[in-house]
Amino acid sequence: MTDVLLRGSESARADGPETPRPNRHASPARAADDPREPGGNDDDRSGTAIITRTKPKTKRPSLYRVLLLNDDYTPMEFVVHVVEKFFNKSQEDAYQIMMHVHHNGVGECGIFTYEVAETKVTQVMDFARKHQHPLQCVMEKK
Ligand code: TYC
């Protein structure tokens, strides 16, 4: 985003009176004409300047919850192991998360950017399949 700030007594004009313009390709004769200098944008040599500032606009990435779903067959110890292994939780925290899913049907294991969340889901699903458990792991936008 570019902000346009006005300084001096003049207001902004689409095209000013017929003041001769300096050759834009030539080196500025003075610092006031050099837009790289602080306050140096006095293009029409009028003593006023239009200062432009381009903000490096940063966007925060969208976040995604990674959830485990309950089922009747996956052993509790396996779920605890999954939560420890893929979500870096302590055994105590992993047990609490597993019991929350067991009682509520769904529970959050962590919040990640899109690609990290996608990777966690794939890792958990592959690991569950490898051990022949029906455990389901999904992601949802926050
Ligand atoms: N409900 C399972 C059982 O009683 C345990 C379980 C917990 C399964 C959490 C999945 O995401 C899950 N063995």
Side-chain angles (χ1 to χ4, degrees), residues 5-25:
L5 310 169
L6 302 179
R7 191 183 64 190
S9 54
E10 282 190 341
S11 55
R13 304 166 300 191
D15 197 15
E18 305 319 311
T19 319
R21 299 274 168 170
N23 177 355
R24 289 173 189 283
H25 301 292

Side-chain angles (χ1 to χ4, degrees), residues 68-76 79 98 101-102 135:
L68 282 180
L69 308 184
N70 191 36
D71 66 72
D72 293 338
Y73 306 103
T74 304
M76 290 185 171
V79 178
M98 181 280 297
V101 177
H102 179 69
L135 179 64

Side-chain angles (χ1 to χ4, degrees), residues 65-138:
R65 293 188 189 93
V66 175
L67 308 171
L68 282 180
L69 308 184
N70 191 36
D71 66 72
D72 293 338
Y73 306 103
T74 304
M76 290 185 171
E77 310 74 53
F78 182 81
V79 178
V80 172
H81 180 59
V82 162
V83 176
E84 288 179 57
K85 181 180 173 72
F86 296 108
F87 299 96
N88 307 311
K89 301 293 190 187
S90 68
Q91 195 173 7
E92 292 71 25
D93 287 355
Y95 180 78
Q96 292 303 321
I97 290 169
M98 181 280 297
M99 286 306 289
H100 177 95
V101 177
H102 179 69
H103 286 128
N104 298 281
V106 59
E108 182 182 296
C109 295
I111 298 172
F112 308 96
T113 56
Y114 184 88
E115 287 196 350
V116 175
E118 204 184 31
T119 299
K120 301 283 183 192
V121 169
T122 301
Q123 287 174 333
V124 171
M125 294 298 285
D126 288 353
F127 191 68
R129 179 172 305 167
K130 186 172 116 181
H131 290 87
Q132 303 192 333
H133 296 309
L135 179 64
Q136 296 292 303
C137 184
V138 298

